[in-house]
């Protein structure tokens, strides 16, 4: 089986793509799986580290506010289309899988034009522009939220959920053991703040505002600042042994197991992880995403008391009190975690691999 997987830009796209690739490899050890990503984006490091070859395209996103800046973007898109056509022709895949992100557009469009069957994986509750454009010729569209008929042909939609990293599900650590492994006092409550691989300015500013509250509560903090913000955030916690600021959390399985409370953006991947692992969370949706889809993601949980949602504009002012309230109420944290777990769609990578096998077989 020859499979071409394209997309990336953020961990929310890359980790599901790797989970799908790993599941195909588990079933078909001789499968030839290749990735296409965007040059300069994190997939160009993460995918080879996971053992898969990847080719980068010089593609970039459109600036929707300053249209005059898109002339270079159009040139990069034209160049990416040429490279994508060559990749598809030379590799001759049995199927092309798009997980969203800049690179998936040129790659899957090239595959469709050459008659290669395509499968899309849409992580969010509001479909991305690329997937909406590709949907007309896609064989199957794997989604994680109901009511996606607003965006895609109903007869091709399959509810699979979002694949999450096997390393997260494979951890058997207790909360106490996970805290010790991460170097924290097991008798203190631990808040894990996740700003994503690149970092989130609002979450970092809000966590910094909450530091006095965390000290008052006697809580520990694992603060993933993102690589863009680590130098600015580290000085705020370097004098407190109970607080750790890191650019990237290497052992997310231990981090989720150790957390008494998660503070995070509302990306689809993060939400799927929170649901599958049953974690109480405060979600601060990013306003800087297409169609405000993170807010829609967060509302899907908040409306079922499966998370607490704080809007980005209110986060610095409201997060300290929200953290204190939840740390002081273990029953509410338990109820939120249980409600999140009931929303989980499990075995997503296996369900998507089933669809891939079905398409290739036909």
């Amino acid at each position: 089986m020859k499979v071409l997987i394209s997309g990336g830009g953020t961990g929310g796209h890359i980790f599901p793509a790797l989970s799908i690739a790993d599941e195909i490899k588990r079933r078909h050890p001789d499968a030839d799986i290749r990735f296409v990503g965007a040059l300069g984006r994190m997939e160009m490091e993460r995918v080879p580290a996971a053992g898969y070859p990847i080719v980068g395209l010089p593609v970039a996103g459109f600036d929707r506010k300053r249209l005059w800046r898109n002339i270079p973007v159009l040139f990069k898109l034209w160049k990416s289309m040429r490279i994508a056509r060559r990749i598809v022709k030379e590799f001759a895949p049995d199927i092309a899988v798009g997980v969203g992100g800049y690179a998936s557009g040129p790659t899957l469009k090239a595959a469709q034009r050459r008659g290669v069957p395509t499968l899309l994986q849409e992580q969010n509750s509001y479909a991305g522009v690329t997937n909406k454009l590709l949907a007309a010729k896609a064989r199957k569209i794997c989604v994680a939220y109901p009511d996606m008929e607003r965006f895609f042909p109903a007869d091709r939609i399959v509810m699979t959920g979002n694949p999450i990293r096997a390393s997260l599900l494979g951890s058997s650590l207790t909360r106490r053991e996970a805290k010790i492994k991460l170097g924290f006092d097991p008798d203190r409550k631990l808040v894990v703040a996740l700003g994503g691989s690149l970092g989130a300015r609002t979450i970092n500013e809000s966590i910094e505002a909450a530091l006095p509250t965390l000290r008052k509560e006697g809580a520990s903090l694992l603060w993933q600042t993102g690589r863009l913000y680590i130098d600015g955030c580290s000085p705020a916690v370097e004098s407190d042994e109970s607080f750790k600021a890191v650019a990237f959390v290497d052992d997310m399985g231990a981090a989720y197991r150790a957390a008494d409370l998660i503070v995070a953006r509302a990306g689809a991947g993060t939400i799927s992880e929170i649901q599958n692992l049953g974690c109480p969370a405060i979600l601060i949706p990013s306003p800087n995403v297409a169609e405000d889809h993170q807010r829609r993601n967060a509302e899907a949980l908040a409306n079922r008391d499966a998370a607490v949602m704080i809007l980005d504009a209110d986060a610095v002012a409201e997060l300290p009190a929200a953290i204190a309230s939840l740390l002081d109420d273990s029953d509410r944290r338990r109820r939120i975690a249980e409600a999140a777990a009931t929303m989980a769609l499990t075995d997503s990578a296996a369900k998507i691999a089933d669809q891939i096998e079905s398409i290739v077989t036909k």
Side-chain angles (χ1 to χ4, degrees):
M1 185 186 294
K2 298 171 74 173
V3 182
L4 192 64
I5 302 177
S6 185
T10 67
H13 292 306
I14 298 164
F15 295 130
L18 289 173
S19 296
I20 295 168
D22 290 344
E23 178 63 19
I24 294 170
K25 270 291 188 183
R26 187 188 67 80
R27 300 182 184 196
H28 305 276
D30 60 343
D32 189 352
I33 302 175
R34 301 186 189 182
F35 281 75
V36 179
L39 289 173
R41 308 292 287 189
M42 64 182 293
E43 60 263 28
M44 300 308 295
E45 296 179 4
R46 295 282 169 182
V47 170
Y52 297 101
I54 186 170
V55 176
L57 303 180
V59 66
F62 282 92
D63 190 329
R64 301 185 185 187
K65 295 181 180 179
R66 292 163 292 190
L67 298 179
W68 65 88
R69 293 194 175 187
N70 288 319
I71 294 175
V73 175
L74 290 171
F75 175 74
K76 290 180 179 179
L77 178 60
W78 173 79
K79 189 174 181 181
S80 297
M81 285 297 305
R82 291 186 63 190
I83 297 171
R85 285 196 293 269
R86 187 179 72 244
I87 292 169
V88 172
K89 180 180 179 180
E90 293 176 355
F91 181 47
D94 295 302
I95 188 169
V97 178
V99 297
Y102 298 145
S104 63
T107 306
L108 266 75
K109 179 59 70 175
Q112 290 176 345
R113 286 178 175 173
R114 200 165 181 84
V116 176
T118 57
L119 177 144
L120 305 178
Q121 200 250 327
E122 175 56 60
Q123 291 109 7
N124 293 294
S125 59
Y126 198 95
V129 173
T130 300
N131 278 347
K132 284 191 285 187
L133 292 173
L134 294 168
K137 294 185 178 180
R139 296 287 182 88
K140 293 292 180 181
I141 303 151
C142 298
V143 302
Y145 291 89
D147 304 320
M148 297 302 284
E149 296 84 359
R150 295 174 293 162
F151 311 109
F152 305 128
D155 61 336
R156 280 172 260 172
I157 294 174
V158 183
M159 180 74 81
T160 61
N162 290 321
I164 67 173
R165 289 165 277 184
S167 60
L168 302 186
L169 297 173
S171 176
S172 59
L173 295 172
T174 65
R175 179 165 292 147
R176 186 177 185 86
E177 290 169 343
K179 288 178 181 177
I180 293 171
K181 183 179 182 181
L182 294 171
F184 290 100
D185 184 341
D187 296 318
R188 285 174 175 254
K189 293 168 187 169
L190 174 64
V191 174
V192 176
L194 303 172
S197 53
L198 301 179
R201 182 190 301 274
T202 298
I203 286 185
N204 289 336
E205 292 175 347
S206 303
I207 289 296
E208 190 160 359
L211 293 178
T213 298
L214 291 167
R215 293 189 178 98
K216 184 178 179 181
E217 293 287 331
S220 301
L221 171 67
L222 176 58
W223 183 6
Q224 183 203 34
T225 67
R227 61 179 175 81
L228 299 179
Y229 299 96
I230 183 64
D231 292 339
C233 295
S234 294
V237 298
E238 60 187 9
S239 62
D240 196 322
E241 294 182 354
S242 299
F243 297 166
K244 293 183 181 180
V246 296
F248 193 83
V249 177
D250 292 318
D251 192 345
M252 282 300 301
Y256 275 119
R257 290 293 191 279
D260 292 279
L261 179 64
I262 301 285
V263 178
R265 286 299 199 193
T270 298
I271 285 183
S272 294
E273 291 169 356
I274 287 169
Q275 291 171 334
N276 274 269
L277 297 172
C279 298
I282 297 173
L283 300 175
I284 304 173
S286 171
N288 305 313
V289 293
E291 307 296 342
D292 203 19
H293 69 249
Q294 283 206 9
R295 179 170 178 169
R296 298 165 192 262
N297 293 349
E299 285 175 340
L301 275 72
N303 291 340
R304 297 178 60 172
D305 200 26
V308 172
M309 183 180 78
I310 300 176
L311 296 181
D312 188 89
D314 304 325
V316 173
E318 295 183 5
L319 182 63
I323 288 175
S325 175
L326 286 169
L327 289 181
D328 291 340
D329 193 341
S330 59
D331 285 340
R332 189 178 181 208
R333 293 201 311 275
R334 176 184 53 78
R335 291 195 302 271
I336 289 173
E338 290 174 351
T342 63
M343 299 178 69
L345 294 172
T346 59
D347 299 321
S348 299
K351 293 173 183 174
I352 294 171
D354 287 343
Q355 295 299 319
I356 291 172
E357 287 181 333
S358 175
I359 293 170
V360 170
T361 301
K362 289 179 181 179

